[in-house]
Amino acid sequence: MHKFGSVVYRADRKSYRAKYTYHGEVITKTFKDRLSAQAWLNSERSRVEADKAGIQQWSSPAERKREETAIERRRTLFCDYVMDEFAPTWLNYAADGSELATGSKRKHREYLSHLSQAFFWKYPLTGITTEDINRWLADLDNFGGATPRKKTFQLLKAVYAKAVAEGAVPKSPVTMKAPAVPKSRQAQIPPATAEELQNIYAAMPKTTRIAVWLGAILDLRIGEVVSLQVQDWNSKTQTLRVCHSADANGGMKDTKTATSNTTQPVPPQLGKLIDEACNGKQPTDFIVTCADGTHITPNRLRDHFNEAKINAGRPDLHFHTLRATSITAAVNTGATLRDTMQWGRHADAQTSIERYQRASGSERMREIANGIEDTLMGHEPTVAELEAEIAATKKRLADLESQLDALRHQNK
């Protein structure tokens, strides 16, 4: 019988390498002893002979390993893959590797709980179909609301994205769009105007009124506002470090997300107010306090704000609306979507996109509508518009005359 393959001792590695060539492929495998290497080579020869005889098609060891892995994956249950391969990381860490805040971890556990109640939870990972997912999504009662439904769907989509990337499934059955979430009533509240903010500020107690500008200018959440300490303010660099939030009882905790933990630049007028609020205090004292200087809770500060907003004629406002007010003002100054994402400190880019579109959409559409009307219908100027245009023209004329005088003087 013709010799099949070879077994070579490799002194440098103190091992035996079995080797043979078939269909143009060089197949090798390393063993600790010659006997095992020869046994493997004999089994491979049997496969090659079976292929030549037309009994069983030959495939390389690497291809056989992939087939075995695929068969094993087909046996993997969806629940086992989620709990063993996906959940341990997803429950505790964000996409950038940073650890999730306590509140975010709690929400992730909630969404995982919703997913674990799906009827296909114990189906094979490769056996779940698009029809199964559509049937699961059709029952809103499974989730307790539109938002948990969307978040749980996004969790399912992420699970299958990982499974596809790892080769655990050939393709994802999650082919539909994420379920829509109706806009919350709070999201539809118009942002506060500058005059309204001034009125609210004036109506609040002296020790808490600065919170209005911390929310409306720096885009801070109420929990972040009550957690600001004197040591977080740097008067030399005019920056404010945002590194804590408040729990339900007013105690200190991490910010809502890792992206919320940042250092915000502070404009000059607000900087003076912060200086005044910090005057005479110790580094660990809080910037916003009760009237007696003690730590104020989010609920107590919210009470102050709610009373003042009624006096300002905006009973519909929430303290959180100040964040939308800040984004709107930023867009009106020319902030781009990228700027908005950074300023808003949103962990979810979609939140920034929605905020940006809300802030820029209505006013921009009005500008476009006014421009079209002026082009097609003409425009009858008002007295105020004419006076403003005359003043601008006079100023421009004065500038031109000044330049002309200077030029004549040089030519003399």
Side-chain angles (χ1 to χ4, degrees):
M1 182 180 291
H2 186 268
K3 182 180 178 183
F4 180 85
S6 62
V7 175
V8 178
Y9 177 66
R10 304 182 66 179
D12 58 333
R13 299 187 180 182
K14 295 182 180 180
S15 62
Y16 293 84
R17 186 180 70 174
K19 173 183 174 182
Y20 73 95
T21 303
Y22 190 60
H23 285 340
E25 288 191 53
V26 178
I27 310 299
T28 64
K29 191 169 183 180
T30 301
F31 299 87
K32 291 183 178 180
D33 59 89
R34 179 181 291 277
L35 190 62
S36 297
Q38 191 60 57
W40 176 81
L41 201 59
N42 291 339
S43 68
E44 290 298 306
R45 180 173 59 186
S46 298
R47 291 178 180 275
V48 169
E49 291 174 349
D51 181 69
K52 290 179 177 179
I55 299 172
Q56 184 177 9
Q57 186 175 0
W58 175 87
S59 59
S60 69
E63 290 172 338
R64 276 176 255 151
K65 180 64 176 176
R66 284 194 291 271
E67 290 171 3
E68 291 171 5
T69 301
I71 292 172
E72 187 62 32
R73 281 172 174 164
R74 283 195 289 272
R75 296 194 189 105
T76 301
L77 298 182
F78 176 74
C79 57
D80 292 335
Y81 183 81
V82 172
M83 299 307 294
D84 297 340
E85 303 296 331
F86 187 88
T89 299
W90 180 80
L91 283 173
N92 296 291
Y93 299 97
D96 62 2
S98 59
E99 186 171 0
L100 294 173
T102 302
S104 297
K105 289 181 180 180
R106 184 179 64 255
K107 284 296 183 182
H108 277 207
R109 289 194 299 270
E110 176 190 332
Y111 305 142
L112 180 58
S113 176
H114 288 312
L115 183 60
S116 70
Q117 295 169 26
F119 67 86
F120 52 73
W121 179 245
K122 293 187 177 181
Y123 280 24
L125 180 65
T126 57
I128 298 173
T129 65
T130 300
E131 290 73 21
D132 290 331
I133 297 170
N134 279 325
R135 181 155 64 94
W136 169 66
L137 287 171
D139 190 356
L140 188 60
D141 291 338
N142 286 334
F143 310 94
T147 298
R149 177 185 182 216
K150 180 176 181 178
K151 294 294 185 179
T152 306
F153 169 83
Q154 291 172 333
L155 164 58
L156 174 65
K157 186 174 183 178
V159 168
Y160 269 104
K162 177 180 173 67
V164 170
E166 294 178 346
V169 293
K171 63 179 182 178
S172 171
V174 189
T175 58
M176 66 291 293
K177 292 183 178 180
V181 176
K183 289 185 177 180
S184 67
R185 291 181 180 179
Q186 186 177 146
Q188 299 177 55
I189 297 173
T193 65
E195 183 180 358
E196 289 166 349
L197 291 173
Q198 291 284 1
N199 290 337
I200 294 172
Y201 174 82
M204 287 181 69
K206 290 183 178 180
T207 58
T208 58
R209 59 176 46 162
I210 192 176
V212 175
W213 301 123
L214 292 171
I217 295 179
L218 297 188
D219 197 33
L220 301 190
R221 302 173 178 90
I222 196 167
E224 295 166 343
V225 169
V226 300
S227 301
L228 291 172
Q229 296 175 300
V230 174
Q231 62 189 357
D232 297 327
W233 167 239
N234 189 324
S235 60
K236 292 183 179 179
T237 60
Q238 292 286 285
T239 55
L240 187 65
R241 184 179 57 177
V242 183
C243 54
H244 292 104
S245 189
D247 58 27
N249 300 316
M252 302 277 277
K253 68 173 186 178
D254 292 337
T255 52
K256 183 179 180 181
T257 63
T259 52
S260 297
N261 192 323
T262 187
T263 298
Q264 294 285 75
V266 177
Q269 291 189 64
L270 179 54
K272 291 178 181 179
L273 294 178
I274 297 177
D275 276 331
E276 293 173 5
C278 293
N279 187 33
K281 293 182 178 179
Q282 298 299 313
T284 55
D285 288 342
F286 292 97
I287 295 176
V288 179
T289 67
C290 294
D292 61 1
T294 58
H295 188 205
I296 192 168
T297 64
N299 285 339
R300 185 65 184 130
L301 176 58
R302 195 175 285 110
D303 289 341
H304 289 190
F305 178 82
N306 288 344
E307 185 176 340
K309 74 182 184 182
I310 294 173
N311 293 333
R314 283 300 305 270
D316 59 324
L317 285 178
H318 294 258
F319 192 92
H320 201 73
T321 312
L322 298 183
R323 278 172 60 78
T325 300
S326 181
I327 293 295
T328 300
V331 172
N332 289 340
T333 64
T336 64
L337 175 56
R338 182 181 293 275
D339 296 331
T340 303
M341 292 173 67
Q342 183 175 351
W343 187 251
R345 300 172 297 130
H346 297 129
D348 179 8
Q350 185 61 34
T351 304
S352 287
I353 292 172
E354 291 171 356
R355 287 274 183 88
Y356 179 84
Q357 289 174 336
R358 177 189 172 196
S360 62
S362 60
E363 289 305 315
R364 181 58 182 148
M365 292 304 102
R366 181 173 294 281
E367 289 177 8
I368 292 173
N370 290 345
I372 294 172
E373 181 186 75
D374 289 347
T375 301
L376 300 181
M377 295 179 63
H379 175 65
E380 189 71 28
T382 65
V383 172
E385 288 174 339
L386 287 172
E387 288 176 344
E389 189 170 350
I390 289 171
T393 303
K394 285 182 176 179
K395 184 178 183 305
R396 176 60 177 159
L397 180 60
D399 290 340
L400 291 173
E401 288 176 342
S402 177
Q403 292 177 33
L404 180 61
D405 289 343
L407 186 60
R408 284 172 173 167
H409 181 73
Q410 288 178 2
N411 294 333
K412 286 184 178 179

